[in-house]
Every structure is written in C-alpha cells, then in structure tokens.
Amino acid sequence: MTVAMHNDVEALAAVPKELLIGGEWRPAADGSSFDVVDPATGEALCQVADASVADGLAAIDAAVAAQASFAATTPRQRAQMLRRTWELLGERKEELAVLMTLEAGKPVDESRMEIELAREFVLHFAEEAVRISGNYQENPNGGGRMLVTRQPVGPTILITPWNFPMSMGCRKVAPAIAAGCTVVVKPAKETPLTMLALAEIFREAGVPAGAVNVVTTSSSSAVIEPMIASGKARKLSFTGSTGVGKKLMVQAAEQVMKTSMELGGNAPFIVFEDADLENALNGLMLTKMRNAGETCTAANRVFVHSSRIDDFSARLAERMAGFTMGHGLDDGVTLGPLINARQQQSVDSLVQDAVEKGAEVVVGGHKVDRPGFFFEPTVLKNVPAGARILKEEIFGPVAPLVPFDTEDEVVGLANDTEYGLVSYIFTENLRRAIRVAEAMESGMVGLNQGSVSNAAAPFGGTKHSGLGREGGPQGIDEFLETKFIAMQL
C-alpha cells in the first residue's frame, strides 16, 4: 500500500467508538459492541458501541433538552459553527479519506472527492442559515398586520446510508444546524466510523452539547422505532431503501412527524442516435461506476438507439475492462469492493437472471474469487424486458444495455418504473432535449452530463423514490415550520 500503512492505524485510533449523547461520549448502556468490517478483506477493523433502546431514548431526551437553547442561538452563530466545521473537514481531509475507505471500500481518491462534496454542503448551509426569512404585510381588510415567520421544526432523527457516509451526514446535519434543530443521527451499521469522526468535528466546531447526538447500532429497527414512538422528535429524515422508508413513514405517521425520504432509484440513461458518444460514455462511467455502482443515482437501465448500440457497447466494454480492482488504499486501484457479501450475492443474482433470459455478456459477469466482496465490471447487451435487472436497483458495477428505435418508445420505457429519482439524457438536439427532460417522471434530470449532485441544487425524487428535497435553498426548508402571527392595530 502506498498510502502509508500507519495512516490507517492512526485514523482508526483517532475516531471515537462510543455513543455521543448530551455532549458526552459513553458506552452502550449494556456495554455491548459490534464489528465494523473492511469490505475489501472481509476482516473486522474495530468495534463500536451497540446502542440499545434505552440509549436511543436517552439520545432523544438529550436532543429535546438542548432544543430551546439551541434554537435561541442566532443565525450568525450557527453559520459560524458550520463555517468552522467546513474548515476542520478540510484540515483533516486525508485522515478522514483513509477512514472512509477502510469501512466503505471505495478508492481513496473517491473518498477525498466525497469529503469535498460534504464540505460544499456544510458551506452552503452556513450561508443559508443567515437567509431564513419571513414576511410582513398589511391585512388586506385593514385594521391590522400579518406577520409570517420561520422557526425550527424541533428535535430531528436523521438516518444516514452506508454508501456516502460523509456527504450524506453533512447534507442532513448541516441544514438542521442552520435551522436551529437538534438531531439524533443513526448512521448505517456498515459505516459508522465516518459519522463518529464527523460528530467529534461538530463538537470541536462549537456545536453545543446535545445539539448533535449519535447512536450506532446493529439493530436499527429495534432502536429507531421506540425513538419515533416516543413522540418527542418532530422530524424524521431517512436515506435508504424504499422498503425501509415505507415502514418508517408508517411509524412517523402515528406521530404526525414531518418526514424527508430519499429512497431507491431505477435511473434510465438514454443515448439518442445524435448523441456525442464520447460524452455519453464519460457520463455513464461517472454515474455508473462511482462507488462501484452503489449509488441511488447510478444509471440502472441504459437505453441506446439501435443504430449506435454495437459501437457504444464495444467502447463501453473497453473502458469497463480497464478498471483495477483492489483495496482502496492501494496505489492505482480504481474500483473497490461492494459493501458486503449480501450485496455481492444480490448483484450476481441479477446478472445471472438476465443472462438466463437472453442477455449477452460483453465483459465481466462474475463475482471475483478473492478476499472481500468484489464483482467484475460488467456490460450486458440486449437485455430482455422480463429481466429483473431492469426492475430492481442494481447497486453494483453492471451496465445493462437495451436498444430502442423511437423517442416515444424510449420515453415509455424510461418511465415504466415505480421509481423516479433521476434520469439521464444524451442528445445534441435542443428541442428533443427539453421535450424528453420534461417528459421524464423523475425529480432530477442530467442533460448531457452524468452527475446531478450539487449542494446548491435540490436533490430528491418522485413516485417511490421519496419525499422532500435535500440541498439548495429548499434543503433548509425541510427543517423549518411556518408560523403566522395576526396583529390588530
């Protein structure tokens, strides 16, 4: 490994491994812990505290106790906390990148890029904190004034995913802090270390005790459900699978909690006959292969005009074959493992189903026989309509190609899904670009580009891909309530 070996030892030693409740690091109430595994080796890196129901409720109580005083801080004070967080993330970028690579498996350069994206979210919401506005107007009927103000929604439960532990942590915690909401964060059990390190940075940046609490647990549902049922939290924000999101929405509905849900995707990637193929290939590699394909915005179904599919598939296969698999800290590695054996088996099952139903394997197609949870970069051509891979989220380095002939045909195919997170369109025809972008049943569209994530833009989906938006000016609105004050003169 050319990233110095002592760096991983130092990174693991530096991160807290207990629960952060009420400003104090403490073990789980019953003293239990669970392993954090390196997906590139399958071996345990360390253990972290395994929160119980009592720990989760204690964290909610800490957030409730801190809410009034935290809401009373000024927008400028909260902005300064976030600005200092932004600075600390930059200063510790290397050690945080090593830590993230160890638990998430992604190449260390990708981890560095994720930390920069996380910093963008923090900086964006530091600026949004001082822009929270209201309204003042005369009563149209006379005799009084009408005031509209914005206030923090209150204590919030944030559930973050394993695929982007730093950027998703910042995209949720930063707007909550900006709005004046206290939080309890429950990171994914696969990647808790990044959030624990981030929580310590928030503390050092001046975020007061109890404003940010973190509970790590191997039994998410057992700990989260009582936290929601307590009725003490007023908002729930979740990023993860649609199935889990639906269950959380049912629980939240019992408490009439405000919810934000960033759920699954089944993104269509459309390459028209007039597309710039080199640009389309660049876009597909970006959206498909980042984090080994384990992203909700990854191209899941690649529709290529029948006149271009042979050329496109050959050039794509050449690029996919050029990846170097290995541990993310090794020099030259460009593709890491999948997160665990379950995900590796899921991807393998989808590929084998497609092949059995008639798809052609252009390159790859198999699990890799080595330690860790690797899967070959794979291109499937002429995937039939009945294949599961066109209906289910892949979350792996697999590109299924489907030919099409007409615009109406491909729009129908693209929208034939219960999901609606993001769509990608590649064409040099301006009229077609706008026409098809507006026809896509998705919350976001990448037009001649393979990325839609931007701290200054609203991120979110339609249909079964979720509710609400993260990022942009809309991101802070998710943590604010609107209050109307009627005043008689």
Side-chain angles (χ1 to χ4, degrees):
M1 293 187 179
T2 56
V3 175
M5 286 295 293
H6 70 273
N7 284 355
D8 31 339
V9 175
E10 291 176 356
L12 286 172
V15 66
K17 299 175 182 65
E18 297 181 311
L19 313 175
L20 179 59
I21 299 177
E24 297 181 355
W25 293 104
R26 67 194 212 189
D30 61 5
S32 61
S33 60
F34 66 93
D35 287 339
V36 181
V37 174
D38 182 344
T41 65
E43 299 177 356
L45 292 165
C46 62
Q47 291 190 327
V48 297
D50 194 356
S52 63
V53 171
D55 293 314
L57 293 175
I60 284 290
D61 286 341
V64 170
Q67 178 58 50
S69 60
F70 188 57
T73 59
T74 67
R76 181 64 65 194
Q77 288 173 322
R78 298 194 297 274
Q80 289 170 341
M81 296 172 197
L82 291 173
R83 179 75 185 202
R84 180 56 183 152
T85 299
W86 176 81
E87 292 172 349
L88 290 171
L89 286 170
E91 292 171 8
R92 299 177 191 174
K93 178 177 174 179
E94 285 304 308
E95 62 191 75
L96 291 170
V98 169
L99 184 68
M100 195 190 314
T101 291
L102 286 170
E103 65 174 352
K106 61 188 68 182
V108 71
D109 281 345
E110 287 193 23
S111 294
R112 293 185 183 110
M113 287 188 286
E114 181 177 339
I115 292 165
E116 285 304 315
L117 178 59
R119 295 182 73 220
E120 284 295 312
F121 283 115
V122 172
L123 184 60
H124 171 76
F125 286 111
E127 295 165 343
E128 287 295 308
V130 297
R131 297 175 184 154
I132 300 171
S133 62
N135 189 49
Y136 174 89
Q137 70 182 73
E138 182 178 354
N139 188 321
N141 297 318
R145 299 293 182 267
M146 302 167 64
L147 285 74
V148 177
T149 187
R150 312 294 300 284
Q151 295 180 329
V153 68
T156 299
I157 298 171
L158 306 176
I159 305 175
T160 59
W162 49 259
N163 54 347
F164 293 100
M166 179 64 77
S167 59
M168 296 302 96
C170 288
R171 195 166 77 182
K172 291 184 185 296
V173 178
I177 290 175
C181 295
T182 59
V183 302
V184 177
V185 187
K186 201 293 294 179
K189 64 182 178 182
E190 293 84 357
T191 56
L193 301 176
T194 301
M195 176 53 67
L196 292 170
L198 177 60
E200 180 61 23
I201 286 174
F202 279 126
R203 275 175 25 112
E204 292 182 38
V207 176
V212 173
N213 306 274
V214 178
V215 290
T216 54
T217 178
S218 63
S219 304
S220 298
S221 60
V223 173
I224 290 295
E225 187 168 0
M227 292 168 63
I228 295 173
S230 73
K232 295 177 181 179
R234 295 311 313 143
K235 177 176 172 60
L236 170 67
S237 177
F238 169 74
T239 295
S241 72
T242 296
V244 173
K246 289 178 178 179
K247 293 176 182 178
L248 290 170
M249 289 171 67
V250 170
Q251 297 170 25
E254 289 292 327
Q255 305 301 326
V256 196
M257 289 174 68
K258 190 170 185 177
T259 60
S260 300
M261 296 280 156
E262 199 266 280
L263 307 177
N266 188 13
F269 188 100
I270 305 172
V271 183
F272 283 99
E273 67 271 25
D274 65 340
D276 178 336
L277 283 198
E278 191 67 17
N279 185 47
L281 286 164
N282 290 338
L284 182 57
M285 297 304 289
L286 177 61
T287 181
K288 179 75 262 182
M289 297 305 290
R290 185 170 53 129
N291 199 32
E294 296 173 307
T295 76
C296 57
T297 57
N300 213 65
R301 299 166 294 150
V302 184
F303 300 106
V304 185
H305 193 271
S306 58
S307 66
R308 309 296 297 275
I309 193 168
D310 289 342
D311 186 18
F312 188 86
S313 64
R315 291 164 67 175
L316 176 61
E318 183 178 357
R319 291 198 184 199
M320 294 285 260
F323 279 93
T324 300
M325 285 184 285
H327 196 292
L329 295 182
D330 284 351
D331 190 31
V333 166
T334 53
L335 181 66
L338 300 177
I339 190 65
N340 53 35
R342 184 177 66 254
Q343 186 58 32
Q344 183 190 45
Q345 182 56 43
S346 173
V347 173
D348 186 59
S349 175
L350 290 174
V351 170
Q352 299 314 313
D353 172 78
V355 172
E356 288 170 6
K357 291 174 178 173
E360 173 190 344
V361 179
V362 184
V363 68
H366 301 94
K367 294 185 286 187
V368 181
D369 185 17
R370 60 171 291 168
F373 313 115
F374 292 86
F375 198 91
E376 293 176 333
T378 299
V379 177
L380 302 178
K381 184 179 174 184
N382 298 324
V383 179
R388 287 170 45 218
I389 203 166
L390 300 181
K391 297 294 183 182
E392 301 177 23
E393 196 168 26
I394 302 169
F395 252 56
V398 181
L401 274 54
V402 179
F404 73 93
D405 292 309
T406 69
E407 180 181 315
D408 287 344
E409 175 193 6
V410 78
V411 168
L413 290 170
N415 288 334
D416 184 22
T417 174
E418 64 184 5
Y419 298 104
L421 186 58
V422 61
S423 305
Y424 301 96
I425 303 163
F426 285 77
T427 177
E428 295 299 295
N429 185 312
L430 178 59
R431 288 187 176 89
R432 171 188 279 160
I434 298 301
R435 189 168 61 239
V436 176
E438 292 182 350
M440 290 296 96
E441 296 173 356
S442 59
M444 300 173 289
V445 176
L447 187 53
N448 288 325
Q449 66 178 54
S451 175
V452 294
S453 186
N454 190 309
F459 185 104
T462 61
K463 300 196 282 189
H464 287 210
S465 287
L467 302 169
R469 294 295 183 268
E470 296 182 329
Q474 295 84 356
I476 197 169
D477 290 342
E478 299 286 339
F479 294 88
L480 294 169
E481 291 283 14
T482 298
K483 177 178 284 186
F484 167 56
I485 301 172
M487 182 171 63
Q488 183 176 2
L489 294 181

mmCIF file with all atom_site columns, all heavy atoms in Angstrom, residues 170-182:
data_model
loop_
_atom_site.group_PDB
_atom_site.id
_atom_site.type_symbol
_atom_site.label_atom_id
_atom_site.label_alt_id
_atom_site.label_comp_id
_atom_site.label_asym_id
_atom_site.label_entity_id
_atom_site.label_seq_id
_atom_site.pdbx_PDB_ins_code
_atom_site.Cartn_x
_atom_site.Cartn_y
_atom_site.Cartn_z
_atom_site.occupancy
_atom_site.B_iso_or_equiv
_atom_site.pdbx_formal_charge
_atom_site.auth_seq_id
_atom_site.auth_comp_id
_atom_site.auth_asym_id
_atom_site.auth_atom_id
_atom_site.pdbx_PDB_model_num
ATOM 1  N N   . CYS A 1 170 ? -23.363 15.159 6.214  1.00 0.00 ? 170 CYS A N   1
ATOM 2  C CA  . CYS A 1 170 ? -23.335 16.624 6.168  1.00 0.00 ? 170 CYS A CA  1
ATOM 3  C C   . CYS A 1 170 ? -24.580 17.194 5.512  1.00 0.00 ? 170 CYS A C   1
ATOM 4  O O   . CYS A 1 170 ? -25.073 18.250 5.911  1.00 0.00 ? 170 CYS A O   1
ATOM 5  C CB  . CYS A 1 170 ? -22.084 17.091 5.420  1.00 0.00 ? 170 CYS A CB  1
ATOM 6  S SG  . CYS A 1 170 ? -20.554 16.856 6.358  1.00 0.00 ? 170 CYS A SG  1
ATOM 7  N N   . ARG A 1 171 ? -25.109 16.497 4.501  1.00 0.00 ? 171 ARG A N   1
ATOM 8  C CA  . ARG A 1 171 ? -26.291 17.000 3.810  1.00 0.00 ? 171 ARG A CA  1
ATOM 9  C C   . ARG A 1 171 ? -27.517 16.989 4.709  1.00 0.00 ? 171 ARG A C   1
ATOM 10 O O   . ARG A 1 171 ? -28.477 17.728 4.473  1.00 0.00 ? 171 ARG A O   1
ATOM 11 C CB  . ARG A 1 171 ? -26.553 16.162 2.544  1.00 0.00 ? 171 ARG A CB  1
ATOM 12 C CG  . ARG A 1 171 ? -27.530 16.818 1.581  1.00 0.00 ? 171 ARG A CG  1
ATOM 13 C CD  . ARG A 1 171 ? -27.517 16.165 0.225  1.00 0.00 ? 171 ARG A CD  1
ATOM 14 N NE  . ARG A 1 171 ? -28.237 14.903 0.204  1.00 0.00 ? 171 ARG A NE  1
ATOM 15 C CZ  . ARG A 1 171 ? -28.341 14.121 -0.865 1.00 0.00 ? 171 ARG A CZ  1
ATOM 16 N NH1 . ARG A 1 171 ? -27.730 14.466 -1.995 1.00 0.00 ? 171 ARG A NH1 1
ATOM 17 N NH2 . ARG A 1 171 ? -29.011 12.999 -0.831 1.00 0.00 ? 171 ARG A NH2 1
ATOM 18 N N   . LYS A 1 172 ? -27.511 16.183 5.755  1.00 0.00 ? 172 LYS A N   1
ATOM 19 C CA  . LYS A 1 172 ? -28.623 16.152 6.695  1.00 0.00 ? 172 LYS A CA  1
ATOM 20 C C   . LYS A 1 172 ? -28.359 17.008 7.942  1.00 0.00 ? 172 LYS A C   1
ATOM 21 O O   . LYS A 1 172 ? -29.216 17.785 8.372  1.00 0.00 ? 172 LYS A O   1
ATOM 22 C CB  . LYS A 1 172 ? -28.917 14.703 7.113  1.00 0.00 ? 172 LYS A CB  1
ATOM 23 C CG  . LYS A 1 172 ? -29.494 13.855 5.999  1.00 0.00 ? 172 LYS A CG  1
ATOM 24 C CD  . LYS A 1 172 ? -29.854 12.462 6.498  1.00 0.00 ? 172 LYS A CD  1
ATOM 25 C CE  . LYS A 1 172 ? -30.327 11.560 5.364  1.00 0.00 ? 172 LYS A CE  1
ATOM 26 N NZ  . LYS A 1 172 ? -31.574 12.008 4.740  1.00 0.00 ? 172 LYS A NZ  1
ATOM 27 N N   . VAL A 1 173 ? -27.177 16.859 8.526  1.00 0.00 ? 173 VAL A N   1
ATOM 28 C CA  . VAL A 1 173 ? -26.906 17.565 9.786  1.00 0.00 ? 173 VAL A CA  1
ATOM 29 C C   . VAL A 1 173 ? -26.738 19.063 9.561  1.00 0.00 ? 173 VAL A C   1
ATOM 30 O O   . VAL A 1 173 ? -27.234 19.873 10.356 1.00 0.00 ? 173 VAL A O   1
ATOM 31 C CB  . VAL A 1 173 ? -25.652 16.973 10.471 1.00 0.00 ? 173 VAL A CB  1
ATOM 32 C CG1 . VAL A 1 173 ? -25.359 17.748 11.767 1.00 0.00 ? 173 VAL A CG1 1
ATOM 33 C CG2 . VAL A 1 173 ? -25.851 15.501 10.785 1.00 0.00 ? 173 VAL A CG2 1
ATOM 34 N N   . ALA A 1 174 ? -26.060 19.467 8.487  1.00 0.00 ? 174 ALA A N   1
ATOM 35 C CA  . ALA A 1 174 ? -25.779 20.886 8.278  1.00 0.00 ? 174 ALA A CA  1
ATOM 36 C C   . ALA A 1 174 ? -27.049 21.741 8.168  1.00 0.00 ? 174 ALA A C   1
ATOM 37 O O   . ALA A 1 174 ? -27.138 22.795 8.812  1.00 0.00 ? 174 ALA A O   1
ATOM 38 C CB  . ALA A 1 174 ? -24.890 21.080 7.053  1.00 0.00 ? 174 ALA A CB  1
ATOM 39 N N   . PRO A 1 175 ? -28.071 21.361 7.380  1.00 0.00 ? 175 PRO A N   1
ATOM 40 C CA  . PRO A 1 175 ? -29.277 22.196 7.350  1.00 0.00 ? 175 PRO A CA  1
ATOM 41 C C   . PRO A 1 175 ? -30.038 22.188 8.673  1.00 0.00 ? 175 PRO A C   1
ATOM 42 O O   . PRO A 1 175 ? -30.681 23.182 9.017  1.00 0.00 ? 175 PRO A O   1
ATOM 43 C CB  . PRO A 1 175 ? -30.113 21.571 6.221  1.00 0.00 ? 175 PRO A CB  1
ATOM 44 C CG  . PRO A 1 175 ? -29.615 20.182 6.082  1.00 0.00 ? 175 PRO A CG  1
ATOM 45 C CD  . PRO A 1 175 ? -28.150 20.261 6.409  1.00 0.00 ? 175 PRO A CD  1
ATOM 46 N N   . ALA A 1 176 ? -29.962 21.084 9.416  1.00 0.00 ? 176 ALA A N   1
ATOM 47 C CA  . ALA A 1 176 ? -30.606 21.053 10.722 1.00 0.00 ? 176 ALA A CA  1
ATOM 48 C C   . ALA A 1 176 ? -29.960 22.070 11.660 1.00 0.00 ? 176 ALA A C   1
ATOM 49 O O   . ALA A 1 176 ? -30.644 22.825 12.356 1.00 0.00 ? 176 ALA A O   1
ATOM 50 C CB  . ALA A 1 176 ? -30.528 19.649 11.317 1.00 0.00 ? 176 ALA A CB  1
ATOM 51 N N   . ILE A 1 177 ? -28.628 22.081 11.668 1.00 0.00 ? 177 ILE A N   1
ATOM 52 C CA  . ILE A 1 177 ? -27.921 23.062 12.497 1.00 0.00 ? 177 ILE A CA  1
ATOM 53 C C   . ILE A 1 177 ? -28.252 24.475 12.033 1.00 0.00 ? 177 ILE A C   1
ATOM 54 O O   . ILE A 1 177 ? -28.538 25.364 12.848 1.00 0.00 ? 177 ILE A O   1
ATOM 55 C CB  . ILE A 1 177 ? -26.404 22.809 12.439 1.00 0.00 ? 177 ILE A CB  1
ATOM 56 C CG1 . ILE A 1 177 ? -26.056 21.517 13.179 1.00 0.00 ? 177 ILE A CG1 1
ATOM 57 C CG2 . ILE A 1 177 ? -25.628 23.993 13.040 1.00 0.00 ? 177 ILE A CG2 1
ATOM 58 C CD1 . ILE A 1 177 ? -24.595 21.121 13.075 1.00 0.00 ? 177 ILE A CD1 1
ATOM 59 N N   . ALA A 1 178 ? -28.235 24.698 10.730 1.00 0.00 ? 178 ALA A N   1
ATOM 60 C CA  . ALA A 1 178 ? -28.524 26.029 10.199 1.00 0.00 ? 178 ALA A CA  1
ATOM 61 C C   . ALA A 1 178 ? -29.902 26.515 10.619 1.00 0.00 ? 178 ALA A C   1
ATOM 62 O O   . ALA A 1 178 ? -30.101 27.695 10.923 1.00 0.00 ? 178 ALA A O   1
ATOM 63 C CB  . ALA A 1 178 ? -28.413 26.005 8.671  1.00 0.00 ? 178 ALA A CB  1
ATOM 64 N N   . ALA A 1 179 ? -30.874 25.597 10.659 1.00 0.00 ? 179 ALA A N   1
ATOM 65 C CA  . ALA A 1 179 ? -32.247 25.956 11.018 1.00 0.00 ? 179 ALA A CA  1
ATOM 66 C C   . ALA A 1 179 ? -32.453 26.079 12.516 1.00 0.00 ? 179 ALA A C   1
ATOM 67 O O   . ALA A 1 179 ? -33.441 26.674 12.962 1.00 0.00 ? 179 ALA A O   1
ATOM 68 C CB  . ALA A 1 179 ? -33.209 24.918 10.447 1.00 0.00 ? 179 ALA A CB  1
ATOM 69 N N   . GLY A 1 180 ? -31.540 25.497 13.307 1.00 0.00 ? 180 GLY A N   1
ATOM 70 C CA  . GLY A 1 180 ? -31.693 25.537 14.761 1.00 0.00 ? 180 GLY A CA  1
ATOM 71 C C   . GLY A 1 180 ? -32.345 24.307 15.340 1.00 0.00 ? 180 GLY A C   1
ATOM 72 O O   . GLY A 1 180 ? -32.925 24.360 16.430 1.00 0.00 ? 180 GLY A O   1
ATOM 73 N N   . CYS A 1 181 ? -32.244 23.172 14.638 1.00 0.00 ? 181 CYS A N   1
ATOM 74 C CA  . CYS A 1 181 ? -32.809 21.912 15.118 1.00 0.00 ? 181 CYS A CA  1
ATOM 75 C C   . CYS A 1 181 ? -31.728 21.040 15.751 1.00 0.00 ? 181 CYS A C   1
ATOM 76 O O   . CYS A 1 181 ? -30.647 20.889 15.182 1.00 0.00 ? 181 CYS A O   1
ATOM 77 C CB  . CYS A 1 181 ? -33.444 21.132 13.961 1.00 0.00 ? 181 CYS A CB  1
ATOM 78 S SG  . CYS A 1 181 ? -34.854 21.918 13.202 1.00 0.00 ? 181 CYS A SG  1
ATOM 79 N N   . THR A 1 182 ? -32.048 20.448 16.890 1.00 0.00 ? 182 THR A N   1
ATOM 80 C CA  . THR A 1 182 ? -31.155 19.445 17.452 1.00 0.00 ? 182 THR A CA  1
ATOM 81 C C   . THR A 1 182 ? -31.418 18.109 16.755 1.00 0.00 ? 182 THR A C   1
ATOM 82 O O   . THR A 1 182 ? -32.501 17.884 16.214 1.00 0.00 ? 182 THR A O   1
ATOM 83 C CB  . THR A 1 182 ? -31.376 19.286 18.961 1.00 0.00 ? 182 THR A CB  1
ATOM 84 O OG1 . THR A 1 182 ? -32.744 18.906 19.203 1.00 0.00 ? 182 THR A OG1 1
ATOM 85 C CG2 . THR A 1 182 ? -31.077 20.594 19.689 1.00 0.00 ? 182 THR A CG2 1
#
